[in-house]
Amino acid sequence: MEERTALVTNVLDYAGPPAVAALQAAGFKVMAHDPPFMVPKSREDYDQDHPGVTAMAAQAPEVIIRDAVERVSRLDVLVSNDTYPAIHAPIETAELSDLAATLE
């Protein structure tokens, strides 16, 4: 049976830690993205603390996917862990620019 693989974005925050734990418990090899992983020491520390998980330096979405697929051949699961702060406002006062920033 071929190894199942997953990619978790923004792995250090919000749903990232429990997603990694659940995926590993289910037998997945996990590729991990987070901005601090641009620093080699940060990747090394994360990999050491999370055996079976590979921290990735890439930050641009297309590069993250390309690098992950190059390392594991295919992705079975993608956990898109959006860490952009949720902005709550009454519809009458909500700013359209806040919605645009959230979607971008």
Side-chain angles (χ1 to χ4, degrees):
M1 182 167 155
E2 194 170 326
E3 181 177 53
R4 295 178 301 168
T5 60
L7 168 63
V8 180
T9 64
N10 299 300
V11 73
L12 299 176
D13 294 309
Y14 300 108
V20 168
L23 288 163
Q24 284 194 292
F28 283 79
K29 172 163 181 46
V30 179
M31 305 302 296
H33 153 272
D34 213 283
F37 296 160
M38 289 187 288
V39 177
K41 177 80 167 108
S42 180
R43 288 193 307 276
E44 293 165 10
D45 290 347
Y46 189 84
D47 288 349
Q48 184 174 349
D49 292 342
H50 301 85
V53 180
T54 301
M56 301 170 47
Q59 297 301 305
E62 62 277 3
V63 179
I64 295 167
I65 296 295
R66 184 195 69 218
D67 288 358
V69 170
E70 283 177 0
R71 291 179 189 211
V72 295
S73 299
R74 73 166 205 262
L75 292 172
D76 298 298
V77 172
L78 169 64
V79 178
S80 180
N81 180 31
D82 186 4
T83 58
Y84 191 83
I87 300 170
H88 300 278
I91 191 117
E92 299 80 20
T93 61
E95 295 291 329
L96 200 51
S97 61
D98 289 340
L99 175 60
T102 298
L103 296 174
E104 288 176 7

